[in-house]
Amino acid sequence: MDKPIGVMDSGVGGLTVAKEIMRQLPDEQIIYFGDLRRCPYGDRPLEEVRQYTVEVADHLVSRGVKMIVVACNTATAAALSDLEDRYDIPVIGVINPGARSAIQSSNNQDVIVLATNATVNSGAYRDAIHHINGGFRVTSLACPKFVPIVEELRYKDKVVVRVALHQTLKGLLGTSADTVILGCTHYPLLAGEIRDFFGGRKNVIDSGYETAREVSSIMTYSRSHAAPGNRKTHVMIVNGDSSRFEYILGDWIPFIDYKIEEIDLEAY
């Protein structure tokens, strides 16, 4: 089925998931929606995030996507069940794949979740992990400094990143947890520094790989893979100014053909 896959996020973070989908499924076309005008979602009330998520998803559905990937942990926590009820196409979030991956990686059933305020307050990762294995210890920490570092293009400034990591994570250095979940899709751009901060002693989980694998499994089951060799230009929709978005896109996924559309979602 040569319809595109819709991928959505509050900003650029979901590109980490889109990149993995492109790597695993190179024949699929992506329509990506970055809601930069209203980014970040992580400090907003969950009901407001739910409203924004539905608006973005409705726009993707209007573009004829065959599946929606909610590549934002906060949006997944706020609205995944609403989207599943609203549409007759598959809707995938990033929390359950990330939780499963952490369970598989941990040897001592002790994990840390680094996430936005909204995701931490929702308890979504704790609930997802305990739904599978109630014996896990889950420590969640809000990291409000991390998303602005990525969105403001400071993620390559090692001094800025290391200061933010030390200020935010210093209380976790002595924990026995052997696995860290990056509970926000912006955080993989800081993954190397986070791994180094813990001295390489903790597994660092990026849910992008598992999310892409789930996308592939669902399409295999429904026989909805795109025809091989029929690659199309990816579409990047930006609600707001696309200049910062395009810089990170070129830096993070330099190998793709794409076109960018700037829109004003609030005008729709």
Side-chain angles (χ1 to χ4, degrees):
M1 183 190 299
D2 287 335
K3 292 182 177 181
I5 297 171
V7 180
M8 60 172 291
D9 182 47
S10 63
V12 301
L15 290 173
T16 60
V17 178
K19 179 181 181 180
E20 188 59 34
I21 294 173
M22 293 172 189
R23 188 187 71 80
Q24 293 188 31
L25 302 168
D27 294 315
E28 300 292 339
Q29 181 190 25
I30 302 292
I31 297 182
Y32 182 96
F33 195 112
D35 194 8
L36 270 70
R37 191 183 306 278
R38 302 181 292 198
C39 179
Y41 283 1
D43 293 325
R44 296 181 181 274
L46 282 177
E47 180 54 35
E48 188 173 45
V49 175
R50 190 201 70 79
Q51 175 190 336
Y52 292 166
T53 304
V54 170
E55 289 175 1
V56 173
D58 280 350
H59 186 85
L60 287 173
V61 169
S62 76
R63 298 281 186 126
V65 298
K66 62 184 173 185
M67 174 186 294
I68 294 175
V69 180
V70 185
C72 171
N73 288 266
T74 303
T76 298
L80 183 64
S81 60
D82 295 284
L83 301 187
E84 290 172 334
D85 292 339
R86 189 177 182 87
Y87 310 120
D88 58 2
I89 58 173
V91 181
I92 298 172
V94 288
I95 289 176
N96 284 333
R100 288 196 296 269
S101 183
I103 289 171
Q104 292 165 1
S105 296
S106 178
N107 292 315
N108 68 355
Q109 298 191 355
D110 192 350
V111 304
I112 294 167
V113 179
L114 306 180
T116 65
N117 283 307
T119 300
V120 168
N121 291 338
S122 75
Y125 269 101
R126 179 200 61 227
D127 293 345
I129 290 170
H130 286 167
H131 180 73
I132 300 170
N133 187 331
F136 266 72
R137 178 184 178 188
V138 181
T139 302
S140 298
L141 179 69
C143 307
K145 296 179 184 292
F146 292 1
V147 170
I149 287 175
V150 174
E151 291 287 340
E152 295 168 11
L153 308 182
R154 293 183 293 163
Y155 59 94
K156 287 188 174 182
D157 187 327
K158 292 187 181 297
V159 173
V160 169
V161 172
R162 287 171 182 172
V163 168
L165 293 185
H166 177 74
Q167 290 175 341
T168 305
L169 305 180
K170 59 185 177 182
L172 298 176
L173 280 173
T175 64
S176 61
D178 67 350
T179 301
V180 177
I181 302 173
L182 303 182
C184 173
T185 52
H186 287 72
Y187 296 179
L189 285 125
L190 310 176
E193 296 291 343
I194 291 172
R195 191 175 288 108
D196 290 345
F197 180 83
F198 289 112
R201 295 183 297 274
K202 301 184 190 300
N203 303 315
V204 176
I205 301 299
D206 167 12
S207 60
Y209 174 83
E210 285 295 327
T211 302
R213 194 167 73 164
E214 187 162 324
V215 168
S216 181
S217 296
I218 289 174
M219 288 197 300
T220 298
Y221 178 79
S222 61
R223 298 183 179 180
S224 57
H225 282 287
N230 187 24
R231 299 188 186 183
K232 296 180 180 178
T233 300
H234 301 294
V235 179
M236 304 291 163
I237 304 168
V238 177
N239 184 30
D241 181 6
S242 65
S243 55
R244 287 183 298 127
F245 180 92
E246 190 163 14
Y247 174 85
I248 293 179
L249 177 63
D251 182 58
W252 189 243
I253 321 179
F255 53 83
I256 65 167
D257 293 324
Y258 67 89
K259 63 178 181 179
I260 287 184
E261 299 179 17
E262 285 189 9
I263 69 167
D264 181 355
L265 184 64
E266 293 177 340
Y268 278 73

